[in-house]
Amino acid sequence: MQSVKVIVTGPFNAGKTTFIKAVSEITVLSTERQISDASGEGSGETTVAMDFGRITISDDVVLYLFGTPGQERFSFMWETLSEGMLGFVLIVDAEDEGSFEDAKAMIAFFKEMSDVPFVVAANKVPATDVKTLRRVRSAIALEDTVPLLPVDAREKESVKAVLLGLLYRILDSMD
Amino acid sequence: MALRGNLKDFSLPDVFQLVQLSGKTGVLRIVRPDAEGSIWFRDGEVFFAQSNWRHELLGDRLVSAQRITPAALERALEMHKAEGGERRLGEILVSEGYITQHVLETFVQEQIQDTIFDIMRWDEGDFDFEVLPEVLHEDIGLSVSVENIVMEGSRRLDEWNRIKKKVPSADMVFKMATAPGEGTFEISLKPVEWNLLLLIDGTRSVRELAEEVRSTDFEVARVIYGLFSAGLLEVPSDEEVERLRAERAAREEKRARAATARAAREESPAPESETASSAPEVPEPEAHVPEETAVDKQPEEAPAGEGGHAAPEMPEFLSVGAEPPSDDDMAVFTEMMEAVLLPHDAAAAETLEEEPPATPEEPLDEVPQPGYGPETADETPVVPYAPTVEDAWDESALLAEMGIAQPPADDVQDQEPSAIVEEHQPPAEAEQYQPPAEAETYEMPAETGQYETPAMESDDVGFGAIPESDLAEIPAPPVAETEGPQFTPSGDFESDLRTLGLGEYPLELLEPEPVSESRPPMSEMEQAAAEAEDGSESDWAEFVQSISEEPAPVEQPPAEEAPVEQTPAEEGVAETAAPEGGSDQDLDSLLESLGSSTEKGAGVIASETDFGEGERTGEYISTDSYLAEFDTGGGLSGGLCDELIALTGGGTGRARPVTTVNAIPEPGEGGRLHIDQTVDKELLEQIIQGIEDL
């Protein structure tokens, strides 16, 4: 059984868990913890360790999705979770401008740490909203060479499109 | 005859030794104004101790150590209460099968030691030893050597004195350090440290932390001591503490309001939220997000919803339960968790063992690359999932398959030029993300011609919502005029995105063509570049170099190089960005439309992202080794390394997992994470097909 790993990362409360849930065949295993006071605002829970989802490609190939904790204070886990990944998707909530700086930091971290292809997915952005995409790209100082894809993390097809975007980028990098 | 006295006159170790030497059976009670404790002796040996001074209950210890679940503890406590305290909690847990007698004894012994140590730290108080013929109720058969207790207590006192140098008061407040300590590359954390880190936020004192985690302030202080020594914690200023506490209070208030509102919603059934109400029925593993939270998160995760973007309720695939994880899934999950939990060295060793080496028989270079070059049809593997060419031509169906709605024609009129570029895609690129289809194009030259001259064949291959007036403004790609079937760039990611209506159009794809035969005069290029005043000098130099050195691929494009040097995406952009005889206003408006992105370097052909260089020496240290470096001797513990073992619970005999923590590398250091080398193009294409079929 060949298993490959794709990392789903992004700032706190960007929608990583929802993203994985949207396409995972299994109930997503999450090591969640009730948000403590230190975790700040947002939803009632946050990912402390990781989310874990599965997509069966064939009888002998399985794609696993690993979600990282979004808070910078857990950034030291990103590397451990990301070892041996095929690529990663960095999700940023396009409506949460306060998280853009965190997204920039995460991009910088992964670019520093890794040589794997990645794409950035702007959550809560309609597929045709080019202006918002451009605004997000500028806000997070994303290089033009890195694709910025719109996504609705709740929509299975939308999440699929992002994963395909990442996979094609990986395919492209194999040339 | 009772033994009475004051701790100012006789220390507890002295009293212990007296009782031991006399071989008495009874209870030693120590009372001070704010607390009291008692230690039971049987024939001079300690077998039980308890106090009401910040002690950690046995049940909490068992839960913290994950020996029992909170539900089991709750049930045992209910039984204990129902029986009127006839049986002790530990007995109930053993009789109900939650723990074994050995586990109970281990934890009770640890509890006894902790209690006695706490009492030994008391500077004042009266003690009274009452001789009893027998003490049956508290006697569970344990026997703890007084010498061991005194030794352990003395050792802990020594630790405490050391800890007090950095944690002098239980009222001290700590916060997470903004940066790891100097020289810290890897830090190993244990669960208890991890739990505390979650709570150390610059608002709670050591005492409050101890109450929060239901532990002793000594336990908390020694963990903080280690974290502080490793540079993970800082001491905030008083002003910062006040500010953080105010923020925390505001958050708590907000959360309380949200909880109240949620409770109100749950009490009043909402018939319109059928999906939400059905969500709790989804079977979830124990560690999952509570369904109510998952449902509540949806409004926050909702997309903007403007412009007709659907804002669906809980999707069916989320509300309908997915299959539970299989054993294999759990094995992978556990493996990854172990990678996180194991010490770094062990994890690294496991990784090396588990990672299959790159198969020498199938080097990546030898893997067929369908559609990526002018290979012959025989060389191009036929992938069984390849859609037919006819299917690929159906752009609408293709987009529908990908779940991307085509924008209405009216929207195109309102979009910026660059947006139009993204929307107005050469139809041939619609199937470029289907490598197998491209492979077929080599077998069918007649059709290939259509593919490679998309603009020329625009009438045949509908542009969807693009008005004809707009199409007229889009010139044909110059390459298409001079080149025959150059290539069909399978897997051209940027083109695929454009076809799918996804993403922005990267600048480097927009800019190269102005240097071709339709390159505007130099002065205008400078004008374009002047719009990028914020660009760096290197960008400018690169820009100048690009326009001065780059050959005009349109005039003399080597056929075999065309697939590499100019992608169809570039061709498509060139249609708009550098039209034949196109007006300067077109270029200017395009550049203006790029806004801030253009400022990064108009006209610059961006190079590939540099992801770092090769392997980096994994220089790191652990907390233990870090602390062991600056003190190797002295103290009852025989060195700080030993002390750290004791500090982190290593001396209890219970195996505790540790969390491997890797730190962010220094700037300029190469990446340490690399792509999975076991995945080749064939496997990747298989994965792509699997995702598409999902």
Side-chain angles (χ1 to χ4, degrees):
Chain A
M1 175 69 74
Q2 168 87 48
S3 63
V4 294
K5 177 167 69 173
V6 167
I7 295 298
V8 179
T9 187
F12 172 65
N13 210 25
K16 301 179 290 295
T17 302
T18 305
F19 183 95
I20 295 177
K21 278 186 176 179
V23 291
S24 175
E25 298 165 352
I26 61 174
T27 48
V28 175
L29 296 169
S30 297
T31 306
E32 302 274 355
R33 183 184 180 90
Q34 194 74 27
I35 283 183
S36 70
D37 299 327
S39 301
E41 301 174 357
S43 55
E45 299 205 358
T46 187
T47 305
V48 171
M50 64 179 183
D51 294 320
F52 175 74
R54 183 195 73 194
I55 299 173
T56 301
I57 303 301
S58 64
D59 292 339
D60 55 354
V61 180
V62 174
L63 172 67
Y64 288 116
L65 299 173
F66 287 88
T68 70
Q71 295 131 308
E72 188 178 5
R73 62 192 307 188
F74 300 121
S75 60
F76 35 67
M77 288 185 63
W78 298 343
E79 180 186 353
T80 300
L81 291 176
S82 304
E83 181 61 39
M85 61 181 166
L86 191 59
F88 67 90
V89 176
L90 190 141
I91 300 179
V92 58
D93 184 347
E95 295 180 352
D96 183 8
E97 296 185 356
S99 68
F100 288 170
E101 283 300 317
D102 293 338
K104 283 176 62 177
M106 297 184 83
I107 292 171
F109 171 86
F110 276 99
K111 284 182 61 180
E112 186 73 26
M113 291 295 298
S114 70
D115 58 357
V116 302
F118 70 100
V119 298
V120 178
N123 195 13
K124 308 177 186 177
V125 177
T128 56
D129 191 353
V130 179
K131 291 182 179 178
T132 298
L133 287 175
R134 186 171 295 116
R135 177 178 59 84
V136 172
R137 179 183 288 276
S138 175
I140 64 176
L142 184 64
E143 294 180 20
D144 300 326
T145 53
V146 180
L148 176 62
L149 313 176
V151 68
D152 179 348
R154 306 174 309 166
E155 293 280 2
K156 184 177 183 179
E157 293 301 319
S158 181
V159 172
K160 276 175 55 180
V162 172
L163 289 176
L164 286 171
L166 172 65
L167 293 170
Y168 280 118
R169 181 165 172 81
I170 296 168
L171 189 65
D172 202 30
S173 70
M174 289 183 173
D175 283 342
Chain B
M1 176 182 172
L3 176 64
R4 293 191 180 92
N6 192 287
L7 292 179
K8 290 182 179 177
D9 301 324
F10 294 93
S11 68
L12 272 184
D14 294 338
V15 177
F16 285 168
Q17 290 182 357
L18 182 59
V19 174
Q20 184 199 24
L21 290 174
S22 60
K24 295 294 184 182
T25 297
V27 56
L28 175 67
R29 296 187 178 88
I30 304 98
V31 180
R32 72 176 198 179
D34 60 339
E36 64 179 55
S38 53
I39 303 169
W40 275 261
F41 292 84
R42 183 202 319 111
D43 299 330
E45 296 289 323
V46 174
F47 69 88
F48 190 71
Q50 67 179 17
S51 81
N52 60 357
W53 190 69
R54 300 193 192 110
H55 62 293
E56 186 178 12
L57 299 173
L58 175 64
D60 294 333
R61 286 174 181 265
L62 291 167
V63 171
S64 298
Q66 298 182 345
R67 293 288 185 170
I68 61 174
T69 64
L73 174 60
E74 185 178 352
R75 183 168 180 270
L77 288 173
E78 288 176 356
M79 294 177 65
H80 179 70
K81 185 178 180 180
E83 296 174 0
E86 184 177 342
R87 288 189 300 166
R88 302 186 70 86
L89 177 65
E91 294 178 70
I92 296 174
L93 290 171
V94 172
S95 64
E96 294 299 313
Y98 291 121
I99 57 175
T100 64
Q101 181 67 25
H102 176 70
V103 171
L104 173 64
E105 291 176 0
T106 302
F107 277 79
V108 170
Q109 186 163 337
E110 185 179 274
Q111 187 184 30
I112 290 172
Q113 290 181 342
D114 290 344
T115 301
I116 293 177
F117 169 68
D118 285 340
I119 296 175
M120 287 177 69
R121 291 164 54 202
W122 294 359
D123 296 328
E124 60 179 15
D126 298 324
F127 63 85
D128 178 1
F129 182 79
E130 181 183 359
V131 178
L132 300 173
E134 56 182 356
V135 186
L136 295 178
H137 186 65
E138 284 79 10
D139 194 349
I140 62 170
L142 281 180
S143 182
V144 182
S145 166
V146 170
E147 288 91 344
N148 287 344
I149 289 180
V150 172
M151 287 290 291
E152 174 69 11
S154 299
R155 188 187 64 78
R156 292 195 188 188
L157 275 178
D158 187 64
E159 291 175 8
W160 181 243
N161 291 331
R162 188 188 302 271
I163 289 170
K164 282 201 296 186
K165 293 177 181 176
K166 293 185 176 177
V167 190
S169 167
D171 295 325
M172 277 196 70
V173 176
F174 292 85
K175 70 168 187 175
M176 289 280 287
T178 53
E182 184 178 354
T184 302
F185 291 93
E186 181 174 293
I187 302 160
S188 296
L189 292 184
K190 295 177 172 59
V192 63
E193 297 169 327
W194 180 267
N195 290 336
L196 269 179
L197 270 179
L198 290 174
L199 296 172
I200 296 175
D201 58 354
T203 68
R204 295 176 173 87
S205 66
V206 173
R207 180 175 291 110
E208 290 170 331
L209 288 170
E211 293 171 355
E212 191 94 20
V213 300
R214 308 187 74 172
S215 183
T216 64
D217 54 355
F218 170 75
E219 293 288 342
V220 171
R222 73 180 185 180
V223 171
I224 289 178
Y225 170 83
L227 297 173
F228 186 76
S229 300
L232 294 183
L233 299 182
E234 294 175 350
V235 178
S237 64
D238 292 342
E239 294 77 12
E240 190 174 7
V241 170
E242 290 302 318
R243 179 178 59 81
L244 292 173
R245 283 179 170 166
E247 293 176 357
R248 174 187 165 192
R251 287 197 302 270
E252 287 178 341
E253 183 181 355
K254 181 179 178 181
R255 193 171 299 121
R257 286 200 304 268
T260 304
R262 186 165 58 234
R265 285 200 306 270
E266 290 174 352
E267 289 177 0
S268 58
E272 66 277 7
S273 57
E274 273 186 36
T275 52
S277 59
S278 64
E281 298 175 1
V282 178
E284 292 278 352
E286 184 178 347
H288 276 199
V289 186
E291 282 74 9
E292 62 174 25
T293 305
V295 172
D296 291 339
K297 287 167 73 171
Q298 291 309 311
E300 296 181 17
E301 305 259 352
E306 63 180 284
H309 183 53
E313 297 295 329
M314 172 71 83
E316 183 180 356
F317 62 90
L318 287 181
S319 58
V320 175
E323 62 179 276
S326 65
D327 292 341
D328 291 339
D329 297 330
M330 290 307 300
V332 174
F333 182 74
T334 303
E335 178 184 347
M336 181 53 62
M337 287 304 293
E338 287 177 351
V340 174
L341 294 175
L342 284 176
H344 180 79
D345 291 342
E350 283 189 5
T351 303
L352 290 176
E353 292 175 4
E354 292 171 5
E355 279 188 2
T359 308
E361 295 81 4
E362 297 178 359
L364 293 179
D365 292 341
E366 297 178 12
V367 173
Q369 302 180 5
Y372 272 73
E375 298 97 342
T376 64
D378 293 338
E379 295 172 344
T380 305
V382 177
V383 184
Y385 57 74
T388 63
V389 174
E390 289 74 18
D391 291 340
W393 275 100
D394 189 347
E395 183 179 4
S396 300
L398 184 64
L399 294 177
E401 180 183 350
M402 300 305 300
I404 306 299
Q406 287 182 280
D410 295 340
D411 291 347
V412 178
Q413 301 285 0
D414 300 331
Q415 294 188 9
E416 299 176 8
S418 60
I420 295 176
V421 170
E422 298 183 24
E423 303 292 343
H424 296 193
Q425 306 154 17
E429 295 173 8
E431 69 270 13
Q432 287 169 0
Y433 80 104
Q434 306 281 5
E438 294 160 24
E440 291 182 20
T441 61
Y442 293 107
E443 300 173 1
M444 294 178 288
E447 295 186 14
T448 305
Q450 290 182 349
Y451 288 28
E452 292 160 353
T453 57
M456 302 299 289
E457 302 290 334
S458 58
D459 292 339
D460 299 330
V461 291
F463 274 79
I466 303 175
E468 290 187 6
S469 58
D470 287 348
L471 287 176
E473 298 177 4
I474 302 176
V479 174
E481 297 180 358
T482 56
E483 287 296 317
Q486 298 178 7
F487 77 113
T488 50
S490 61
D492 186 318
F493 178 70
E494 305 295 350
S495 301
D496 298 337
L497 294 184
R498 201 157 55 104
T499 301
L500 296 174
L502 293 173
E504 296 177 78
Y505 219 51
L507 273 182
E508 79 277 13
L509 297 182
L510 289 169
E511 299 306 327
E513 287 312 313
V515 301
S516 64
E517 67 177 3
S518 58
R519 178 190 308 165
M522 191 63 181
S523 60
E524 295 181 7
M525 292 301 291
E526 291 173 350
Q527 180 182 355
E531 295 184 24
E533 290 178 353
D534 293 342
S536 63
E537 291 184 8
S538 59
D539 287 345
W540 170 250
E542 186 177 355
F543 164 74
V544 173
Q545 185 179 5
S546 68
I547 60 175
S548 60
E549 298 179 4
E550 180 173 294
V554 178
E555 296 177 353
Q556 301 289 338
E560 62 278 9
E561 294 181 4
V564 177
E565 295 194 358
Q566 187 174 27
T567 67
E570 291 168 337
E571 297 174 24
V573 176
E575 294 177 66
T576 302
E580 282 187 347
S583 67
D584 299 337
Q585 287 75 15
D586 291 341
L587 177 61
D588 291 342
S589 61
L590 175 61
L591 293 173
E592 287 178 6
S593 70
L594 296 179
S596 57
S597 298
T598 310
E599 296 174 356
K600 295 176 182 175
V604 177
I605 302 175
S607 60
E608 287 296 321
T609 304
D610 182 10
F611 286 103
E613 303 173 0
E615 285 285 344
R616 188 175 68 89
T617 303
E619 184 179 4
Y620 56 83
I621 61 173
S622 68
T623 308
D624 291 358
S625 60
Y626 171 75
L627 293 176
E629 281 181 357
F630 63 81
D631 191 353
T632 56
L636 291 178
S637 58
L640 199 54
C641 190
D642 291 340
E643 181 183 29
L644 257 293
I645 294 176
L647 284 175
T648 51
T652 63
R654 281 189 289 139
R656 299 187 181 187
V658 296
T659 301
T660 298
V661 176
N662 301 312
I664 301 175
E666 295 297 323
E669 292 180 324
R672 288 185 291 185
L673 302 175
H674 303 289
I675 194 169
D676 188 347
Q677 297 295 330
T678 65
V679 177
D680 56 18
K681 292 183 70 172
E682 184 178 359
L683 175 58
L684 188 57
E685 288 170 350
Q686 187 180 356
I687 295 171
I688 290 172
Q689 183 62 39
I691 297 296
E692 289 176 347
D693 294 341
L694 194 63

